[in-house]
Amino acid sequence: MTDFYDDLETRSSDQREAALFAALPAHLAHAKASAPHFTRILDGVDPTSIRDRAALATLPVTRKADLIALQQAEPPFGGLAAVEIGRLARVFASPGPIHDPEPHGKDPWRSARALYASGFRAGDLAHNCFAYHLTPAGSMFETGAHAIGCAVIPAGTGNTETQAQVIAHLKPRGYIGTPDFLKIVLEKADALGLDGSSIRIGNVSGGPYLPDARAFYESRGIAVYQSYGTADLGIVAYETQARAGLVVDEGAIIEIVRPGTGNPVPEGEVGEVVVTIFNPAYPLIRFATGDLSAVLPGTSPCGRTNMRLKGWMGRADQTTKVKGMFVHPAQIAEVLRRHPAVAKARLVVGRQDASDTMTLRCEATESGETLAAAIRDSLTAVTKLKGAVEFVAPGALPNDGKVIDDTRG
């Protein structure tokens, strides 16, 4: 697998940035004019001024965690869609419920590039074990497989005996589905004495791709790669033959921000994945996924030149309850905003003498009781709870994206 889906994958970083940010102003103008949610939150924004990452970072984020409330207040899509519902190809209902629109067009979820990197080629038969009922994953990958030129078995989930029989009879070359389900199906085929050896490649998503599953597929000579995406955005990044992080899709702008804020973190620091996509029907701009990741330095050994992510590293929404009160990462960000001397902080929630405790550990350019007292006052004002302040050396806090660390078990 030494070729690429198209020339976009090997262009220089400067060329990619120039192309993305040349297209962004018109996309922002379209979203602002056509999607009520973006009309509201981009009020006063001149789209023609958003031409680089620094300018993009000034725009408000829209959080996936808020979609349920947004859609309940303004059905069906919370004002985020830029077309009428009848002009869509499909409408899904993900758990929540959250309704996800699929526009017409070739590869609307941008999965073809990820499938191609996994080895899928025109003329292959793909066994698609993602759900087709209400949720978008089945269609998300089927449309990408069709864009490549693959035929697809719409297998869906469950029915492992039938799945094994279909594979033995139709002999698909590729598997698409969750990381562990192929293992279950192949073990069922073994138990039934059926031949599942036609499967040679796979693309998996929707859950952690754990080492035991990787080892199982490698032992059977099956090259299985993972993709990262969401039901709202489609595919955001994907693994390649190099197995060196996840290469960002060419149709997305990725930012890594400090949880609870929209502020980008330095390269390599763990933060929340924020995505902007160029979907004219559902123009998600600075969409905060709630997932943690970090940017890997350099480019992939596979030859693709886009940014790489380390992969899924946990959840950014670390909201916890202390003494009956919810404490949110955004509140810790507000405390830091009031004290520029604090570069980074982590609220450690513990338990002592049957009572909840809070300690804000701060990486700061200065210290002392005067600053500590001021930070304590801000912490109380913002959270309505009292807590201690502890200064640590710059770089002492772990690089894991945690803003709130609940140690109470």
Side-chain angles (χ1 to χ4, degrees):
M1 296 186 336
T2 57
D3 56 335
F4 304 100
Y5 185 68
D6 57 27
D7 292 341
L8 297 180
E9 295 181 349
T10 55
R11 56 186 166 168
S12 72
S13 296
D14 289 344
Q15 289 175 318
R16 180 177 294 107
E17 288 288 289
L20 289 171
F21 284 94
L24 184 59
H27 184 61
L28 291 174
H30 164 69
K32 184 176 179 180
S34 306
H37 172 77
F38 292 108
T39 302
R40 290 189 292 269
I41 70 170
L42 297 179
D43 183 38
V45 173
D46 177 6
T48 64
S49 68
I50 311 300
R51 293 192 171 276
D52 56 30
R53 288 183 179 269
L56 178 61
T58 66
L59 301 182
V61 298
T62 296
R63 299 193 177 282
K64 181 179 176 71
D66 295 334
L67 281 185
I68 295 175
L70 287 170
Q71 292 190 356
Q72 288 176 344
E74 190 174 359
F77 302 117
L80 278 73
V83 299
E84 297 176 356
I85 193 169
R87 294 175 58 193
L88 296 166
R90 296 180 179 88
V91 179
F92 300 98
S94 295
I98 295 173
H99 296 101
D100 300 301
E102 178 184 300
H104 291 279
K106 180 180 178 181
D107 192 25
W109 301 97
R110 304 176 321 283
S111 66
R113 195 178 300 280
L115 293 172
Y116 195 91
S118 297
F120 288 82
R121 297 293 184 267
D124 282 342
L125 178 61
H127 192 77
N128 186 2
C129 289
F130 278 118
Y132 279 78
H133 179 65
L134 288 179
T135 58
S139 179
M140 185 182 295
F141 283 91
E142 179 175 289
T143 51
H146 286 166
I148 293 173
C150 302
V152 177
I153 303 168
T157 60
N159 304 306
T160 54
E161 183 170 332
T162 301
Q163 301 263 16
Q165 292 169 345
V166 168
I167 290 172
H169 184 70
L170 296 179
K171 302 190 181 309
R173 178 171 176 263
Y175 164 83
I176 302 168
T178 56
D180 56 347
F181 190 60
L182 176 59
K183 180 176 183 291
I184 294 170
V185 171
L186 292 178
E187 288 175 338
K188 174 61 73 172
D190 293 344
L192 296 173
L194 298 171
D195 181 9
S197 64
S198 67
I199 301 287
R200 309 312 303 158
I201 57 174
N203 186 281
V204 298
S205 190
Y209 187 17
L210 299 175
D212 60 339
R214 285 186 182 269
F216 176 85
Y217 299 135
E218 289 172 0
S219 72
R220 298 179 75 122
I222 307 172
V224 177
Y225 301 87
Q226 64 179 320
S227 294
Y228 164 61
T230 75
D232 327 275
L233 296 161
I235 299 304
V236 171
Y238 56 91
E239 193 175 22
T240 73
Q241 188 181 29
R243 297 196 186 277
L246 305 180
V247 176
V248 170
D249 181 74
E250 295 294 328
I253 300 175
I254 304 296
E255 302 168 90
I256 305 297
V257 308
R258 198 167 308 286
T261 78
N263 303 326
V265 300
E267 182 177 295
E269 186 170 326
V270 177
E272 182 174 10
V273 179
V274 170
V275 185
T276 298
I277 57 169
F278 293 83
N279 179 345
Y282 201 47
L284 298 180
I285 297 159
R286 300 207 81 203
F287 186 76
T289 63
D291 295 325
L292 293 175
S293 192
V295 174
L296 285 172
T299 58
S300 173
C302 73
R304 293 171 178 84
T305 56
N306 206 348
M307 174 192 295
R308 293 178 298 154
L309 301 179
K310 285 187 177 181
W312 187 82
M313 301 177 70
R315 294 292 297 167
D317 184 7
Q318 300 149 26
T319 298
T320 191
K321 189 175 280 189
V322 181
K323 297 182 179 179
M325 299 279 288
F326 281 110
V327 181
H328 307 272
Q331 292 173 305
I332 307 307
E334 172 59 21
V335 174
L336 267 64
R337 188 190 67 79
R338 299 183 182 191
H339 302 281
V342 181
K344 186 177 179 181
R346 173 185 298 225
L347 185 72
V348 179
V349 180
R351 191 85 171 161
Q352 184 176 1
D353 299 328
S355 181
D356 294 336
T357 63
M358 296 196 317
T359 301
L360 189 65
R361 305 188 70 210
C362 302
E363 292 184 9
T365 56
E366 57 184 88
S367 60
E369 179 53 30
T370 300
L371 178 59
I375 296 171
R376 286 196 298 269
D377 288 345
S378 295
L379 184 63
T380 301
V382 172
T383 67
K384 312 305 180 189
L385 296 162
K386 291 183 178 181
V389 170
E390 176 186 327
F391 294 110
V392 299
L397 295 178
N399 180 23
D400 56 10
K402 281 189 177 181
V403 175
I404 299 175
D405 185 11
D406 191 340
T407 65
R408 295 171 297 183

